[in-house]
Amino acid sequence: MSAVSSRAVVVDRPGAHRLVERELPEPGPGEVRVRVAAAGICMSDRELYEGRRAPGYVRYPVVPGHEWSGTVEALGGGVDPALLGRACVAEGFRSCGTCERCRYGETSLCTAGYAETGFTEPGAFADHLVVPARLLHPLPDGVDLRAAALLEPAAVVAAAVRAGQPRPGERIAVVGAGTLGLLAVQWLAASSPAELTVVDPRAERAVRALAFGATRALTPAESDGDTGRFDLVVETAGAPTTAASSCLLARRGGRVVLTGMFAAGATGIDPVHLSVSQLELRSVFGASSAAWADAVRALAQGLLDPAPLVTHTFPLERFGEALALVGGGDPATGKVLLHP
């Protein structure tokens, strides 16, 4: 072991993790080493830990952590010296940059095979992280790195907004008031909608959505009265029924963007309703480089403020305790961060 070391949470297999001390990782050519400031835990991390992530989208043993912020502290060969000392985030997908989809700018559709920080590549539940410099997005001086750790879900929301193309004066619904849903409410509120309705069964989340810019908050049962009402519906929950119910909320000729991560067995979308209603249906998985740039810009300009979503912060040593809070059902739990 070198004189300088670095800690990391390693998930060896589903249900088994340990905090290890390792040699300080060194960046190779075209890479940087980042000192992690904060890393968010989401349901995908819990699925990884419990062995519920689809085969091909995880590689054990793995250091999880795909939502993070930090500061560049070492450069590999060929990296711009101006990056040293910069606060940053980085795209999670390790896109190849050369396939047809990447050349079209659709880096989240890279055809070179799936590789993502925190799932198949070492992630940010650690003191340090090594990533390709080409994936970095530098942040403004003085940025709140705790809030910046949520730029990964913010980039997913940016991708959804790009797909949904909100227009001033539209009636918009957001289905789900978790992290993605509340960030979507913040972003969509800035598009001057005539109405911005949030659908979520949790009363506490509804109150938060109103504080983030929603004009109405409904339970799923209450939303049945709004069938066929909305110009744009952004689904963020990934619950078994929300893909189908989101399509029912859209008006004829309306637009639906599916952003939540669905599990096998979710209720299917009625193809008759889809075709007769002439809906535009888009889905989002991850975020392109352009969507990441949108999210960073929105944070820098104050359009997005993720900080109020953070309710708990834990050191790496308490990873197990922190993970148990995520998806644990406590309505007082928002975004949970690890702080090396």
Side-chain angles (χ1 to χ4, degrees):
M1 183 71 66
S2 64
V4 180
S5 61
S6 178
R7 300 168 304 152
V9 174
V10 176
V11 177
D12 290 303
R13 60 187 181 280
H17 76 277
R18 55 199 169 97
L19 182 65
V20 303
E21 191 167 342
R22 57 185 183 174
E23 290 189 358
L24 190 67
E26 292 299 332
E31 296 180 330
V32 299
R33 183 176 70 235
V34 175
R35 172 76 189 191
V36 178
I41 304 177
C42 82
M43 280 302 297
S44 294
D45 298 307
R46 184 155 181 169
E47 291 169 359
L48 177 154
Y49 188 75
E50 294 175 350
R52 295 187 288 113
R53 191 162 174 85
Y57 290 91
V58 63
R59 184 180 302 134
Y60 300 101
V62 64
V63 178
H66 60 286
E67 303 177 3
W68 59 270
S69 64
T71 302
V72 177
E73 68 169 27
L75 310 176
V79 176
D80 183 356
L83 289 173
L84 192 62
R86 287 295 300 271
C88 67
V89 291
E91 299 170 32
F93 285 165
R94 305 288 182 96
S95 55
C96 72
T98 59
C99 71
E100 183 182 52
R101 289 300 94 204
C102 284
R103 289 185 179 277
Y104 268 90
E106 298 172 341
T107 52
S108 60
L109 295 176
C110 176
T111 59
Y114 172 76
E116 185 175 3
T117 299
F119 295 107
T120 65
E121 311 297 327
F125 292 169
D127 292 325
H128 301 90
L129 171 69
V130 170
V131 294
R134 62 185 175 83
L135 300 180
L136 285 185
H137 288 265
L139 301 174
D141 292 338
V143 71
D144 179 359
L145 286 174
R146 188 167 171 264
L150 275 71
L151 277 171
E152 191 275 343
V156 174
V157 168
V161 171
R162 279 178 164 256
Q165 298 181 332
R167 299 151 197 164
E170 288 193 317
R171 293 186 298 270
I172 301 177
V174 175
V175 177
T179 297
L180 284 178
L182 292 175
L183 289 172
V185 167
Q186 272 196 345
W187 201 306
L188 291 165
S191 69
S192 301
E195 177 184 323
L196 181 53
T197 297
V198 171
V199 180
D200 195 285
R202 300 165 292 184
E204 297 84 356
R205 290 287 179 168
V207 171
R208 300 205 75 185
L210 293 172
F212 272 60
T215 57
R216 287 199 307 163
L218 305 176
T219 66
E222 291 169 339
S223 72
D224 288 343
D226 278 1
T227 296
R229 175 179 174 79
F230 298 98
D231 301 291
L232 171 63
V233 182
V234 178
E235 188 284 328
T236 68
T241 62
T242 51
S245 63
S246 294
C247 290
L248 295 177
L249 288 173
R251 65 164 173 83
R252 295 193 70 193
R255 310 181 310 280
V256 179
V257 183
L258 303 179
T259 310
M261 292 298 296
F262 297 95
T267 303
I269 296 169
D270 181 0
V272 175
H273 174 75
L274 192 65
S275 59
V276 170
S277 296
Q278 300 180 60
L279 298 182
E280 294 182 34
L281 180 63
R282 294 286 302 275
S283 61
V284 168
F285 177 56
S288 67
S289 298
W292 272 92
D294 285 349
V296 170
R297 188 180 302 114
L299 178 70
Q301 295 178 347
L303 177 65
L304 283 183
D305 179 16
L309 294 176
V310 179
T311 59
H312 297 77
T313 303
F314 292 88
L316 290 177
E317 295 88 345
R318 296 172 64 186
F319 165 73
E321 184 181 346
L323 187 70
L325 280 178
V326 177
D330 185 348
T333 300
K335 175 56 65 174
V336 179
L337 298 182
L338 289 181
H339 180 70

